[in-house]
Amino acid sequence: MTDAKIDEAERDAAFAATVARHPDAFVLAVSPAGLFADLPASFDPGRLRPVTGPRSALDLVVPDDHPVVIDAWHTFLGRGLAQCRVHALSAPDQLVELQMIDLSHRYGVPMVLLTGLDGHPAHLPLEHQAIKPRLVTVRKNSNAVILGADPEIVRVLGWSADELIGTRAVDLVHPDDRVRAIASWMDMLASPSGEARRVRLRHLHRDGSVVWFEVTNHNQFTAPGVGEVMAEMLDISDEMAAQEALRAGEQLMRRLTETIPMGIVQIGTDRRIAYQNERAARAIGAGAGELLDGPLLDRILPGDRPAIDAAIDAVLREGRDVDAEYGYRSEQRGLRRVRAGLRALNGPDGEVTGAIICITDVTDDVRLRDELKQRATYDALTSCRNRASTLTALQEALDDPGRTRGTAVIFIDLNKFKQVNDAYGHATGDRLLTHVASRLRGAVRDGDVVGRFGGDEFVVICPDVPGAAEARHIGQGLVAALVTGGLEVAGERLLPQASIGVAWAGGETCADTLIARADAAMYEAKKSRTGRLALALAD
């Protein structure tokens, strides 16, 4: 296909053929600039459906198809005829054909036919896609009475230009903005001729809705042949709606940050505070614009400071999200525990522009967590490890990848404990258990674990023991610890009596096997029936 101009007969034939195939197609006239114009009076549309409202063919199609329409328009300018397949804005899932035909020789203007929507009703809402004018002009006298207006004003305020003649301009302004409107008008009247005054005002549409205008009143009273005010009214409703949405969003966020039970701090890349809610201000003790580091780090416990400083660096330099926990001293509440969630803020290009820090006092949570851990790990009466925790410690010792020597297990069973309970009561029995636990903890090495296995049984886990002889030596140390001291009961000294079994393993073994061997050794010691402390070593 060449770019040569198609002759008039071929263009007439193309138009007639299209109308014959699609007698109820949509039709529009177009100006040389590509904007839609009124259909000429000489054109009889017949069953064709005229469309009013859109400014150009671009208003008829989805945005993704705008380049297709533009290419077709350039082809049309060269050949006088062009067509393209596009998705209509009123039916975006449907392909339609847009045909441009130069019929200037017949009607004085080119024509556009939209086909492929034959089954759509006659009220196809193409006219709703029209873009309202943003700028209209109004002429006023010295009393701000309207003398004339741009005909397009009907599309932005609902009143025709003729209806507005004789109306006071202030009557169109929203009541809440009339004082500002009058002040701006009086300022304009007092200004030299030729100057202008600009003011943003809400106006009332005919349907009662609000339209924002930026009104520029030009003082032209002394201009030759004018003697009036020319007002340019720029529709800024979209801008003001965006500002209002932003303002409402900011207000919502600020109200939320004041309501939620945590401190919220926003900092820039220089670590200066850009915003903080009241809770954060009380916790940090610094104001907006001040550096976060000094007031915050000064209150953090020294051991936690490096981690928090590194967390802030990670967020601001690398954009990483970090959660951290630290202790700090409150002047009013003493030592507290705090959890901080640090999240990076990014600009349009992804660069880090600052960070949000959410600060929550978790002192009570930490205390509860520690209590639960204590209950899950330790025996409530003796403060020794409980049975499950003792077995876990033994398994960890056996599984330690750095384990190069052996592991010893020492099983202790109190002799004649029932007689103590029967003779002195259960409270004394509990005192005896607590006394034994204390003596055992005082006699073991650093890193050894003393556990209450249940009732009057105790188990000591000793990692890193080089041999059976060393294991027996540790057991003997426990025997000596229990012999000395004793418990004062009703004026008498009650010495614990126990049987102790020791098991040692240097190679691979399982926890149950080692416990069983120590238990068996303890029973061998108990067979002596000496009534005194006895020690046995498992084979």
Side-chain angles (χ1 to χ4, degrees):
M1 182 179 293
T2 66
D3 292 334
K5 191 79 170 183
I6 297 176
D7 63 38
E8 296 174 357
E10 288 183 83
R11 284 178 266 150
D12 286 339
F15 184 79
T18 301
V19 172
R21 291 194 308 273
H22 305 280
D24 59 350
F26 292 93
V27 62
L28 307 96
V30 63
S31 71
L35 300 177
F36 288 147
D38 294 334
L39 289 172
S42 59
F43 175 72
D44 180 10
R47 290 173 54 192
L48 295 175
R49 292 180 283 181
V51 178
T52 59
R55 296 180 305 172
S56 71
L58 296 178
D59 294 336
L60 300 177
V61 305
V62 297
D64 286 348
D65 286 344
H66 285 182
V68 178
V69 174
I70 293 171
D71 289 343
W73 174 252
H74 284 290
T75 300
F76 164 78
L77 293 177
R79 303 183 68 244
L81 177 65
Q83 59 189 25
C84 59
R85 294 183 66 77
V86 292
H87 295 83
L89 198 58
S90 58
D93 296 331
Q94 186 172 342
L95 269 176
V96 299
E97 187 172 278
L98 193 68
Q99 190 173 40
M100 307 171 188
I101 306 175
D102 188 359
L103 297 180
S104 300
H105 61 283
R106 185 173 298 277
Y107 300 114
V109 291
M111 307 291 276
V112 173
L113 293 172
L114 182 64
T115 61
L117 292 171
D118 301 353
H120 280 63
H123 60 275
L124 185 72
L126 294 173
E127 62 273 12
H128 296 313
Q129 306 303 328
I131 299 177
K132 296 188 301 182
R134 292 196 62 211
L135 182 65
V136 292
T137 57
V138 175
R139 296 170 19 247
K140 311 171 192 176
N141 65 15
S142 59
N143 295 317
V145 174
I146 296 175
L147 304 175
D150 190 325
E152 291 284 87
I153 199 169
V154 67
R155 295 173 59 190
V156 290
L157 277 179
W159 281 284
S160 68
D162 290 340
E163 289 177 313
L164 290 177
I165 293 176
T167 302
R168 295 190 312 166
V170 72
D171 292 337
L172 301 176
V173 176
H174 190 282
D176 292 346
D177 291 351
R178 287 176 182 171
V179 171
R180 189 164 71 255
I182 293 172
S184 176
W185 178 264
M186 298 305 295
D187 185 41
M188 183 273 303
L189 290 180
S191 68
S193 180
E195 289 194 5
R197 291 295 183 271
R198 184 175 299 161
V199 62
R200 292 187 167 193
L201 304 169
R202 287 169 290 180
H203 286 64
L204 296 175
H205 192 278
R206 187 169 196 158
D207 62 10
S209 61
V210 172
V211 183
W212 271 98
F213 285 102
E214 184 174 84
V215 181
T216 305
N217 289 307
H218 296 270
N219 184 343
Q220 297 182 343
F221 286 123
T222 60
V226 180
E228 59 191 21
V229 172
M230 178 64 69
E232 295 174 337
M233 300 177 63
L234 179 65
D235 186 343
I236 57 171
S237 298
D238 290 344
E239 176 188 342
M240 298 304 292
Q243 289 185 11
E244 174 58 24
L246 180 62
R247 185 202 65 79
E250 289 178 345
Q251 182 187 44
L252 173 62
M253 292 306 299
R254 288 182 181 273
R255 297 297 292 173
L256 282 174
T257 59
E258 296 299 337
T259 302
I260 57 179
M262 64 173 62
I264 306 292
V265 185
Q266 177 187 350
I267 60 173
T269 53
D270 58 358
R271 296 193 177 205
R272 292 190 179 276
I273 299 172
Y275 167 77
Q276 59 183 338
N277 64 1
E278 184 178 343
R279 188 182 294 264
R282 290 198 305 267
I284 296 173
E290 294 184 47
L291 283 171
L292 175 72
D293 298 39
L296 178 65
L297 295 182
D298 286 347
R299 297 190 181 191
I300 295 177
L301 298 184
D304 291 336
R305 290 182 189 178
I308 297 303
D309 194 50
I312 296 173
D313 270 346
V315 172
L316 294 179
R317 295 183 182 180
E318 305 169 30
R320 290 195 287 117
D321 293 343
V322 181
D323 294 313
E325 190 174 296
Y326 61 90
Y328 87 103
R329 298 190 181 279
S330 168
E331 295 178 359
Q332 294 78 25
R333 306 177 68 187
L335 185 63
R336 310 297 293 176
R337 199 72 189 167
V338 170
R339 183 179 299 122
L342 298 89
R343 300 295 182 266
L345 298 175
N346 303 99
D349 297 330
E351 76 280 7
V352 176
T353 59
I356 289 288
I357 306 176
C358 300
I359 303 172
T360 308
D361 189 319
V362 293
T363 305
D364 294 338
D365 294 342
V366 170
R367 184 180 295 117
L368 177 60
R369 181 182 68 197
D370 292 343
E371 289 176 359
L372 292 175
K373 182 179 178 181
Q374 180 79 12
R375 293 175 187 175
T377 306
Y378 295 94
D379 174 60
L381 175 63
T382 64
S383 298
C384 293
R385 295 281 193 99
N386 58 26
R387 182 188 186 95
S389 177
T390 302
L391 290 173
T392 298
L394 174 56
Q395 193 62 56
E396 289 174 351
L398 294 173
D399 293 341
D400 184 1
R403 177 173 176 259
T404 58
R405 304 201 287 181
T407 301
V409 172
I410 303 173
F411 206 111
I412 302 110
D413 181 83
L414 298 184
N415 298 328
K416 300 181 180 181
F417 182 69
K418 183 177 183 302
Q419 288 89 324
V420 173
N421 277 334
D422 292 343
Y424 300 103
H426 287 280
T428 298
D430 288 347
R431 287 179 60 200
L432 180 61
L433 291 173
T434 303
H435 170 75
V436 168
S438 176
R439 299 298 296 175
L440 292 175
R441 283 196 300 269
V444 297
R445 308 168 307 163
D446 289 341
D448 291 346
V449 173
V450 178
R452 184 186 179 195
F453 231 47
D456 58 354
E457 295 177 336
F458 294 84
V459 171
V460 179
I461 308 300
C462 305
D464 196 29
V465 177
E470 177 65 20
R472 182 179 181 85
H473 178 71
I474 296 172
Q476 289 171 336
L478 297 182
V479 169
L482 292 178
V483 168
T484 59
L487 186 67
E488 190 75 26
V489 177
E492 300 180 18
R493 183 163 297 279
L494 183 63
L495 288 174
Q497 299 181 25
S499 297
I500 298 178
V502 179
W504 175 86
E508 290 187 7
T509 188
C510 71
D512 290 342
T513 298
L514 203 52
I515 288 286
R517 287 172 57 195
D519 189 25
M522 180 273 296
Y523 273 103
E524 286 297 321
K526 191 176 285 287
K527 287 179 183 178
S528 66
R529 298 183 180 275
T530 62
R532 299 187 304 272
L533 293 172
L535 173 67
L537 180 64
D539 294 335

